[in-house]
Amino acid sequence: MKTIKKPPPDLQRPSVETNRTGSLRGARVLIVEDVGMVAMALKSLLEELGCEVVAMAARLGEAEDICRRERLDGVLLDLNLHGQYAYPVVDILRERKIPFIIMSGYDAGQLRADLVDAPQMQKPFERRVLEDLVLATLLDRQSTDPAAPNRRGAKAATISSVSAPFRTRGEIESAVCQGMCQFEQEYIGRGPSDVHAHLIGDLLVVRLQGVLTEAERRMIETCSLERGRDLLKRVRTLLFETAEKQISSMIQVITGASVVSMHHDISTVTGEEVMLFSLSQAPPCRAKSGEER
């Protein structure tokens, strides 16, 4: 089994806890992100905060068009869209005085000079830190925009309250399944026939079945068993490593815990792929209605 290790991200946690559920209800937000599984995770997070996700744009022209014509309260903006920098989108947002958060893998030294002090979150994201940044950015907008839904006193109430987990364990597992299906479709070219996620303390296990493509099956059949198996495992592991940052971002946004290490293996016999994520902590889970925590 291949193991990919990485240290927990060096991100400072906020000094206050927040009660976030529905605190941005009615806020209209655009997600500009070219990696589908990350966009889906961000959409899920924003909807839990009460936002209306107006659209998810993966192309520069599409993002520019939406930013020009839609009423927006905020934008989560990936700066690199399929190799094109999204600076034209930044200029439109500033002209319209729409707040935005840069979602980027770049450090400050790589940003355009006028963006160094802009709100930004580096990939991979840590959910709690990202939530705080979204709340601070959009609540400021809501408190100063007379056309926005009434948020009078919302920021103070939000900051002074105690946080509560958004999701049950089952809801977290379901969101992970959707994200991993998106990953398989984007990076492999087809989705699994079945997927299950199991959250066990600070371990997350994902089992995907029926993942082999027709080309991979033919490679296994035409090569010797050992050579075909080794080639398949090597290619799949390389794809997994290439998408490490995106997968980590997705898992962190969904679970609220950073990824300490990732492990991957695939069976050429059963066509089952297994991914194991070691998390920095057991994700806080909301009990189902009528259940004890």
Side-chain angles (χ1 to χ4, degrees):
M1 179 176 286
K2 177 71 175 179
T3 302
I4 307 166
K5 293 186 178 180
K6 58 180 291 186
D10 185 19
L11 292 172
Q12 183 178 0
R13 288 186 173 275
S15 58
V16 293
E17 294 294 331
T18 58
N19 181 12
R20 304 147 195 271
T21 307
S23 53
L24 291 174
R25 193 167 307 283
R28 292 168 57 83
V29 182
L30 168 67
I31 298 171
V32 181
E33 169 62 60
D34 61 357
V35 178
M37 62 182 177
V38 175
M40 289 296 296
L42 292 173
K43 180 176 184 289
S44 178
L45 180 150
L46 289 171
E47 288 177 342
E48 288 172 7
L49 293 175
C51 298
E52 175 190 349
V53 177
V54 175
M56 296 187 292
R59 300 284 179 179
L60 180 58
E62 179 186 11
E64 290 181 82
D65 179 59
I66 295 172
C67 289
R68 285 193 184 99
R69 61 180 167 80
E70 291 286 349
R71 181 181 68 78
L72 299 171
D73 295 303
V75 176
L76 302 188
L77 177 63
D78 183 4
L79 272 185
N80 190 332
L81 300 174
H82 299 287
Q84 290 184 294
Y85 289 104
Y87 293 136
V89 175
V90 170
D91 296 335
I92 294 169
L93 295 175
R94 283 187 163 165
E95 182 182 347
R96 296 191 62 194
K97 295 181 171 55
I98 298 172
F100 60 90
I101 299 172
I102 295 173
M103 320 292 285
S104 172
Y106 303 123
D107 58 34
Q110 296 173 286
L111 295 175
R112 198 171 74 179
D114 62 318
L115 292 175
V116 171
D117 295 327
Q120 59 183 280
M121 177 61 61
Q122 289 194 353
K123 297 177 179 178
F125 314 128
E126 185 175 350
R127 181 188 178 103
R128 184 52 58 96
V129 179
L130 177 56
E131 287 173 0
D132 279 315
L133 187 56
V134 170
L135 284 164
T137 303
L138 270 65
L139 282 175
D140 278 340
R141 160 77 169 189
Q142 297 293 334
S143 64
T144 59
D145 185 357
N150 186 11
R151 292 282 192 284
R152 194 166 298 169
K155 189 171 185 178
T158 299
I159 297 300
S160 64
S161 302
V162 178
S163 68
F166 283 129
R167 294 178 168 181
T168 65
R169 186 177 68 178
E171 289 168 341
I172 291 175
E173 292 170 343
S174 177
V176 169
C177 288
Q178 292 178 24
M180 294 312 302
C181 283
Q182 186 78 29
F183 166 72
E184 292 284 325
Q185 291 169 352
E186 289 183 350
Y187 280 80
I188 310 299
R190 62 166 284 172
S193 61
D194 198 13
V195 58
H196 297 276
H198 307 277
L199 185 59
I200 309 166
D202 61 356
L203 291 178
L204 175 64
V205 182
V206 182
R207 299 175 58 198
L208 304 104
Q209 297 174 328
V211 299
L212 295 180
T213 65
E214 185 61 30
E216 288 171 331
R217 292 184 182 279
R218 289 182 180 277
M219 180 181 70
I220 296 169
E221 293 171 358
T222 55
C223 298
S224 65
L225 178 61
E226 184 175 352
R227 176 172 169 76
R229 181 188 63 218
D230 290 344
L231 282 172
L232 175 62
K233 287 178 179 287
R234 249 184 279 165
V235 170
R236 283 279 179 155
T237 298
L238 179 60
L239 288 169
F240 191 64
E241 290 174 341
T242 301
E244 177 185 354
K245 184 179 291 188
Q246 290 91 337
I247 295 174
S248 292
S249 293
M250 178 192 70
I251 296 299
Q252 287 180 4
V253 170
I254 292 173
T255 66
S258 56
V259 177
V260 177
S261 62
M262 301 191 294
H263 316 267
H264 170 267
D265 200 7
I266 187 169
S267 169
T268 58
V269 178
T270 64
E272 181 180 63
E273 191 168 25
V274 178
M275 299 180 184
L276 174 65
F277 301 89
S278 175
L279 306 177
S280 60
Q281 63 180 10
C285 300
R286 174 174 54 83
K288 289 183 179 178
S289 179
E291 287 185 354
E292 294 289 333
R293 281 195 185 217

